[in-house]
Amino acid sequence: MIFSIAASAVLPAWAGCPAAEGLIAQYGISFSGFKQTLPRVSAPAESPAQASELVTIALPNKNGNVSDGYVHSALINKNLKRAWILRTGGFAGVYEWYGPVALPSSDFAGCIGEPGRLPQPSTATR
């Protein structure tokens, strides 16, 4: 029991979420961007009527955070098995949507998510 608690304390946040792990691996998501070209969109094409089908999860950087690197999250339509990836941060402070992309895993066991919503860009000035 103590070993399992200690092991879970050192695992990265994405390690217990198959959906996040699949997206990170499939599309090469990291603090520096993507390993492959993804379609850029102005906003996800999900309707408010689909809200019960949507979940938002974080896509943490496997290699840790970089102060001027990108941060990613995914808005996922569980029924359609597709994801919209939000890229924020970076040196210039971007707010960019990509997708839809195929969801490599529809296993959300262990994922920390919240009901689907469209995160808005920060209005705070730098």
Side-chain angles (χ1 to χ4, degrees):
M1 170 120 163
I2 292 173
F3 176 74
S4 65
I5 293 170
S8 66
V10 296
L11 289 175
W14 51 267
C17 178
E21 289 176 26
L23 286 168
I24 292 167
Q26 179 77 25
Y27 301 106
I29 301 169
S30 74
F31 68 88
S32 61
F34 310 118
K35 286 187 181 171
Q36 60 181 281
T37 302
L38 300 179
R40 174 106 190 270
V41 296
S42 59
E46 300 293 346
S47 75
Q50 298 170 311
S52 64
E53 303 166 10
L54 304 176
V55 65
T56 301
I57 61 172
L59 301 176
N61 294 318
K62 286 184 172 186
N63 297 323
N65 291 323
V66 174
S67 62
D68 62 350
Y70 296 119
V71 176
H72 298 89
S73 60
L75 177 67
I76 297 171
N77 185 315
K78 296 184 289 185
N79 288 348
L80 297 177
K81 294 182 174 58
R82 68 180 180 192
W84 304 87
I85 299 171
L86 175 61
R87 172 193 289 176
T88 60
F91 182 72
V94 301
Y95 179 87
E96 302 170 335
W97 282 102
Y98 296 85
V101 296
L103 187 62
S105 172
S106 56
D107 182 357
F108 293 93
C111 296
I112 299 172
E114 56 186 74
R117 57 171 174 64
L118 298 181
Q120 299 302 310
S122 173
T123 57
T125 58
R126 292 180 173 232

